[in-house]
């Protein structure tokens, strides 16, 4: 990772770190703090780099954990940081690199220490370490709680008030990261935290008035995707002789501390993947998702979720409904563009789901867009590469489609959008296809993948629900999409016959054998018949509502007409088969009258003519197929572990030992 191993090995013996963690209390006015905070380094850009640093300083951290309840040096360090943040905004405006540099270094040390403390102790024990002065174990003063709240408020103020410049990028990122670390106590509990000291501070008291501004700032950080400035630009500008003013200052007051230790090396070229990413945008999104999924307090709802549910477009001049305590406005066009561009990540897809599901203003805006393909195509690509995605990401993408297909306007408009050359769809060359037909193809492919691999009923149900919602609005289906609908029915039919045959053979065998238990083929058969029924309803819905718009589906139906024969008299399908049987009989008759050896073009022409001639009153009307996504009870049991798994796997410059994690099971890899 670019760090020199010898310099890392020196850290446990560094005199400044040993004094910070030692048995002697250091006053907040001691010149020691200027010396401690005057180090130059390129901040860690990955959990692997931070792991390297953490392993090197483990003895220092253990010593501080042991001594701090008596020395209060952690509290003194925090007070030093708090005093320096009071002038940060002016320092940014005046380009005061030195002041911002030392404030960032203080926060970096606090964040590193805090992460170790939270991992190793309860919240009650953590509070002890926030005391200002020596206290006996088990005694807790009001100063302890106040210092935590003061630090949390300071971090939030730093995020929302400090302008984002090259020289402030690192401290803004560190403030967001420190808030994530503060909330990471959830990682070390198997149960969902419903009463937490940190949650209480963030959702009440002095932090509460900043709720809407914090959510808005985190969203704009995600929208802007500001890349990290070149290494060293936020600390000093290197001169041709190898050192600038600040570097010289650092060398003078902190000899042997950090000047010999750089992760990646000051001024070194970052890896290509680092150049393409925005650590602040990524970390801001993760913090936003964590805040949005905090559990409600017994007497008050989560204010961050309220803010996410109620914000409006900057172009919306209507009054906010009352009460809307945390409402704000944001540029929906910029938000939409960012969401379209970032859907390759789990966290961006999860944000899109939350906004569509919980914020009616965002949902209405997105459904009114005339360029919905920019949003839908990345979602379809997630589903298309299902074998490369984790199951949660696939579920979120699928539920997003289900929410979108609840809207009839969406279901109509997607068939009007014509796409050319979908390069990621490899089963067949699609030179020209409607967005609606492509959506059908991808959802059917997901169903078929699920049938042969995961066999997840939940995934099946949501796929079929999305198709059912769209079915009445099917328009000008691509011939390949029509073929795949019938091919899926064929696959289900074969599976039905296979299970039926297995059940029959097993039953016969049991009559001549002992009383050994039989496999539950009845349940398997019931599940398959439910899916077959749903497919028949989808086909029927299209035929009764838009037959004349879909000659390719009628063609595919006629080509595979024998498939449906066995279901005509089946008691589970008899009613829904009436219309399908009528359509097959009607068009088969017209084709027979036209003679043999008909070309595909001639068959399609006869179908189009027949669609006009077929009396609509002959088709039996069934209730409209409409399925609405309903979030399960206690959704936090799913979403909180999911969000923290994203933090664990993708956070910038955060590392936790897998053996310490309690919230979810860590894979050995």
């Amino acid at each position: 990772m670019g760090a020199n191993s010898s310099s890392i090995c020196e850290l446990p013996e560094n005199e400044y770190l040993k004094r910070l963690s030692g048995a002697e209390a250091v006053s907040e006015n001691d010149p020691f703090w200027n010396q401690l905070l005057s180090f130059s380094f390129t901040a860690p850009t990955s959990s692997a780099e931070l792991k390297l640093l953490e392993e090197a300083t483990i003895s220092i951290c253990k010593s501080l954990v042991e001594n701090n309840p008596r020395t209060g040096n952690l509290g003194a360090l925090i007070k030093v940081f708090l005093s320096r943040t009071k002038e940060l905004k002016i320092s940014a405006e005046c380009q005061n690199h030195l002041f911002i540099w030392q404030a960032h270094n203080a926060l970096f040390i606090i964040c590193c220490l805090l992460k170790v403390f939270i991992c190793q102790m309860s919240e009650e024990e953590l509070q002890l370490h926030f005391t200002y002065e020596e206290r006996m174990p088990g005694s807790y003063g009001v100063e302890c709680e106040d210092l935590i709240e003061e630090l949390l408020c300071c971090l939030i103020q730093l995020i929302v008030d400090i302008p984002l410049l090259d020289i402030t990028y690192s401290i803004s990122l560190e403030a967001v990261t420190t808030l994530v670390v503060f909330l990471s106590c959830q990682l070390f509990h198997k149960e969902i935290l419903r009463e937490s000291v940190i949650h209480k501070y963030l959702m009440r008291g002095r932090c509460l008035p900043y709720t809407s501004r914090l959510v808005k700032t985190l969203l704009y950080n995600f929208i802007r995707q500001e890349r990290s400035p070149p290494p060293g630009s936020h600390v000093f500008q290197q001169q041709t002789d190898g050192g600038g003013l600040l570097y010289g200052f650092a060398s003078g007051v902190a000899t042997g501390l950090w000047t010999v230790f750089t992760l990646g090396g000051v001024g070194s070229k970052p890896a290509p993947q680092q150049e393409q990413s925005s650590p602040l945008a990524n970390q801001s999104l993760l913090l936003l998702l964590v805040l949005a999924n905090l559990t409600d307090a017994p007497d008050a709802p989560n204010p961050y979720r309220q803010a996410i549910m109620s914000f409006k477009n900057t172009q919306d001049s209507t009054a906010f409904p009352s009460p809307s305590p945390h409402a704000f406005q944001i540029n929906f066009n910029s938000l939409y563009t960012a969401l379209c561009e970032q859907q390759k990540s789990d966290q961006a897809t999860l944000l899109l789901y939350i906004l569509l599901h919980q914020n009616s203003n965002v949902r209405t805006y997105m459904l009114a867009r005339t360029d919905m393909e920019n949003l839908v195509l990345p979602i379809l690509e997630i589903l298309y590469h299902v074998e490369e995605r984790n199951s949660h990401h696939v579920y979120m993408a699928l539920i997003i489609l289900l929410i979108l297909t609840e809207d009839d306007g969406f279901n109509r408009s997607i068939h009007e959008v014509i796409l050319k050359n979908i390069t990621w769809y490899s089963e067949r060359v699609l030179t020209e296809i409607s967005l609606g037909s492509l959506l059908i193809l991808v959802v059917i492919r997901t169903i078929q993948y699920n049938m042969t691999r995961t066999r997840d009923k939940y995934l099946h149900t949501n796929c079929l629900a999305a198709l059912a919602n769209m079915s009445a609005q099917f328009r000008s289906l691509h011939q390949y999409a029509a073929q795949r609908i019938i091919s899926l029915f064929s696959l289900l039919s074969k599976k039905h016959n296979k299970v039926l045959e297995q059940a029959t053979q097993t039953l016969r065998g049991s009559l001549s054998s002992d009383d050994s238990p039989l496999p539950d083929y009845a349940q398997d058969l019931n599940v398959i018949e439910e899916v077959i029924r749903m497919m028949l309803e989808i086909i029927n819905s299209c035929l009764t509502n838009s037959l004349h718009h879909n000659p390719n589906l009628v063609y595919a139906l006629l080509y595979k007409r024998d498939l449906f024969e066995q279901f005509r008299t089946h008691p589970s399908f008899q009613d829904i088969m009436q219309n399908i049987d009528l359509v097959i009989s009607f068009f088969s008759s017209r084709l027979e009258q036209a003679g043999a050896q008909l070309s595909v073009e001639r068959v399609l022409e006869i179908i189009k003519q027949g669609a006009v001639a077929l009396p609509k009153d002959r088709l039996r009307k069934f209730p409209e197929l409409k399925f609405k996504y309903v979030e399960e009870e206690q959704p936090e049991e799913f979403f909180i572990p999911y969000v923290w798994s994203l933090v664990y796997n993708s956070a910038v410059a955060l590392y936790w030992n897998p053996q310490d994690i309690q919230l979810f099971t860590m894979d050995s890899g």
Side-chain angles (χ1 to χ4, degrees):
M1 288 294 159
N4 186 292
S5 59
S6 61
S7 61
I8 291 176
C9 293
E10 293 171 7
L11 290 178
E13 300 303 318
N14 181 271
E15 59 177 296
Y16 297 103
L17 293 179
K18 289 177 74 173
R19 185 177 175 189
L20 172 67
S21 62
E24 177 189 349
V26 183
S27 165
E28 62 197 74
N29 299 314
D30 196 302
F32 161 80
W33 299 109
N34 277 333
Q35 298 169 331
L36 174 70
L37 302 179
S38 297
F39 58 84
S40 304
F41 75 112
T42 299
T45 56
S46 70
S47 59
E49 289 179 351
L50 196 62
K51 178 185 177 184
L52 204 64
L53 177 60
E54 188 168 305
E55 290 174 346
T57 55
I58 190 166
S59 61
I60 297 291
C61 292
K62 284 183 177 180
S63 178
L64 186 62
V65 169
E66 180 180 343
N67 293 318
N68 187 67
R70 294 182 297 276
T71 66
N73 284 348
L74 176 64
L77 172 61
I78 291 169
K79 290 185 71 177
V80 169
F81 168 71
L82 292 173
S83 68
R84 297 185 184 218
T85 57
K86 293 174 182 176
E87 306 297 330
L88 268 183
K89 191 171 184 180
I90 295 175
S91 298
E93 293 169 353
C94 299
Q95 296 284 305
N96 188 335
H97 291 239
L98 177 60
F99 200 87
I100 296 170
W101 171 46
Q102 289 197 335
H104 166 266
N105 289 351
L107 184 55
F108 176 75
I109 295 175
I110 291 168
C111 185
C112 290
L113 295 173
L114 185 63
K115 191 170 70 65
V116 175
F117 278 43
I118 288 174
C119 176
Q120 294 186 4
M121 62 190 68
S122 66
E123 283 191 312
E124 290 75 17
E125 292 174 295
L126 179 66
Q127 284 183 292
L128 177 63
H129 286 275
F130 274 76
T131 54
Y132 289 97
E133 57 190 32
E134 182 179 0
R135 290 185 180 276
M136 296 300 293
S139 65
Y140 304 100
V142 67
E143 305 97 319
C144 158
E145 295 189 4
D146 287 347
L147 186 58
I148 294 178
E149 185 173 35
E150 194 172 347
L151 178 56
L152 288 169
C153 275
C154 176
L155 293 173
I156 293 173
Q157 290 169 348
L158 196 160
I159 293 167
V160 302
D161 287 337
I162 304 301
L164 188 60
L165 310 169
D166 275 4
I167 59 172
T168 62
Y169 189 99
S170 289
I171 195 168
S172 296
L173 173 59
E174 205 62 51
V176 174
T177 300
T178 306
L179 280 179
V180 173
V181 169
F182 253 121
L183 290 159
S184 68
C185 50
Q186 176 64 81
L187 278 172
F188 311 107
H189 292 79
K190 290 184 178 180
E191 304 298 325
I192 301 301
L193 286 180
R194 300 185 185 278
E195 293 186 12
S196 162
V197 173
I198 307 303
H199 294 186
K200 181 183 72 173
Y201 283 130
L202 287 172
M203 297 201 289
R204 300 179 185 179
R206 293 171 56 190
C207 294
L208 186 61
Y210 293 96
T211 297
S212 59
R213 291 178 64 195
L214 178 58
V215 171
K216 182 176 182 177
T217 301
L218 295 176
L219 277 172
Y220 269 127
N221 285 347
F222 166 71
I223 288 169
R224 289 168 180 151
Q225 293 289 317
E226 293 282 356
R227 295 183 182 181
S228 180
S233 64
H234 58 293
V235 177
F236 62 90
Q237 298 297 329
Q238 282 188 292
Q239 307 295 322
T240 54
D241 60 359
L245 171 64
L246 298 185
Y247 184 78
F249 176 79
S251 299
V253 299
T255 304
L257 175 58
W258 298 99
T259 51
V260 297
F261 175 62
T262 57
L263 287 171
V266 176
S268 65
K269 187 175 180 180
Q273 61 268 27
Q274 294 172 11
E275 293 180 331
Q276 299 302 318
S277 65
S278 171
L280 180 61
N282 181 66
Q283 205 81 321
S284 294
L285 178 52
L286 290 169
L287 175 58
L288 181 63
L289 293 173
V290 170
L291 291 171
N293 285 282
L294 296 180
T295 56
D296 293 335
D299 55 347
N302 178 346
Y304 301 98
R305 189 182 301 120
Q306 285 185 313
I308 287 172
M309 290 172 65
S310 59
F311 72 82
K312 298 196 307 181
N313 194 355
T314 49
Q315 297 181 350
D316 187 347
S317 58
T318 59
F320 281 102
S322 183
S324 298
H326 307 294
F328 63 92
Q329 291 180 287
I330 201 168
N331 187 309
F332 276 17
N333 183 59
S334 300
L335 177 61
Y336 180 81
T337 301
L339 286 167
C340 292
E341 292 174 349
Q342 300 300 320
Q343 283 308 304
K344 288 185 179 179
S345 75
D346 281 71
Q347 46 265 42
T349 305
L350 181 54
L351 176 63
L352 175 58
Y353 158 76
I354 290 172
L355 295 179
L356 279 173
H357 178 52
Q358 298 183 1
N359 190 313
S360 59
N361 301 318
V362 172
R363 184 168 60 252
T364 301
Y365 173 84
M366 288 187 176
L367 288 169
R369 294 282 303 205
T370 57
D371 60 348
M372 276 297 290
E373 66 273 17
N374 292 336
L375 186 68
V376 175
L377 281 172
I379 298 300
L380 295 183
E381 197 167 351
I382 293 169
L383 292 175
Y384 185 79
H385 296 294
V386 58
E387 64 278 356
E388 301 171 13
R389 306 289 181 179
N390 68 70
S391 59
H392 286 18
H393 199 184
V394 172
Y395 286 149
M396 288 299 101
L398 193 52
I399 292 169
I400 286 167
L401 286 186
L402 180 56
I403 292 172
L404 293 174
T405 60
E406 291 171 13
D407 183 76
D408 285 340
F410 171 83
N411 294 332
R412 284 191 297 270
S413 65
I414 55 175
H415 292 287
E416 298 168 2
V417 177
I418 304 302
L419 308 169
K420 296 182 183 295
N421 300 318
I422 308 301
T423 54
W424 48 262
Y425 194 96
S426 59
E427 271 86 349
R428 177 168 172 154
V429 177
L430 299 175
T431 54
E432 187 173 289
I433 189 171
S434 72
L435 179 60
S437 288
L438 181 63
L439 196 159
I440 293 167
L441 284 175
V442 173
V443 171
I444 287 175
R445 185 180 183 274
T446 306
I447 294 173
Q448 291 179 323
Y449 175 86
N450 187 51
M451 286 175 65
T452 57
R453 306 283 183 86
T454 56
R455 300 183 181 180
D456 186 328
K457 185 180 178 182
Y458 179 82
L459 193 142
H460 255 15
T461 302
N462 284 283
C463 283
L464 290 168
L467 288 177
N469 285 345
M470 297 167 58
S471 59
Q473 308 291 340
F474 284 173
R475 295 290 188 277
S476 304
L477 289 184
H478 191 280
Q479 62 179 20
Y480 186 52
Q483 290 170 15
R484 298 310 295 165
I485 291 173
I486 305 303
S487 294
L488 175 58
F489 185 81
S490 174
L491 185 64
L492 291 166
S493 176
K494 291 175 183 176
K495 194 170 183 65
H496 178 268
N497 293 341
K498 182 178 179 181
V499 174
L500 197 59
E501 183 180 346
Q502 288 174 335
T504 303
Q505 290 177 352
T506 303
L507 187 60
R508 286 173 181 165
S510 68
L511 297 176
S512 58
S513 63
D514 55 19
D515 296 331
S516 57
L518 299 175
D520 190 5
Y521 287 115
Q523 184 178 356
D524 290 347
L525 204 58
N526 184 55
V527 170
I528 295 171
E529 288 184 354
E530 282 182 9
V531 177
I532 288 175
R533 169 84 190 186
M534 191 80 154
M535 281 302 301
L536 289 172
E537 288 180 345
I538 290 167
I539 294 169
N540 178 72
S541 175
C542 176
L543 296 178
T544 53
N545 290 283
S546 54
L547 183 144
H548 57 293
H549 289 298
N550 293 290
N552 284 327
L553 182 62
V554 177
Y555 184 99
L557 200 64
L558 293 171
Y559 191 76
K560 293 283 188 178
R561 71 188 80 175
D562 293 344
L563 278 176
F564 300 88
E565 190 66 33
Q566 63 175 309
F567 300 107
R568 291 177 63 189
T569 56
H570 194 292
S572 299
F573 314 117
Q574 207 167 9
D575 59 335
I576 204 74
M577 276 299 302
Q578 289 180 15
N579 286 343
I580 297 173
D581 195 35
L582 188 151
V583 169
I584 291 174
S585 300
F586 177 83
F587 285 98
S588 295
S589 175
R590 294 183 74 92
L591 289 174
E592 288 172 6
Q593 293 173 16
Q597 303 298 320
L598 299 175
S599 65
V600 173
E601 292 76 14
R602 178 58 182 149
V603 171
L604 285 171
E605 184 182 344
I606 293 169
I607 290 172
K608 291 175 184 177
Q609 293 170 352
V612 177
L614 177 64
K616 300 297 183 290
D617 56 1
R618 291 182 61 186
L619 295 175
R620 177 185 169 186
K621 287 292 182 182
F622 285 84
E624 184 181 12
L625 291 179
K626 273 297 171 186
F627 293 88
K628 190 174 179 64
Y629 169 68
V630 178
E631 199 169 68
E632 294 182 7
E633 293 184 12
Q634 294 187 312
E636 65 272 11
E637 298 290 342
F638 169 84
F639 285 104
I640 290 177
Y642 179 32
V643 168
W644 278 106
S645 72
L646 298 180
V647 175
Y648 178 88
N649 287 307
S650 63
V652 177
L654 279 177
Y655 166 77
W656 287 281
N657 189 328
Q659 296 177 348
D660 296 329
I661 304 300
Q662 298 292 318
L663 182 61
F664 45 81
T665 303
M666 299 304 306
D667 295 331
S668 58

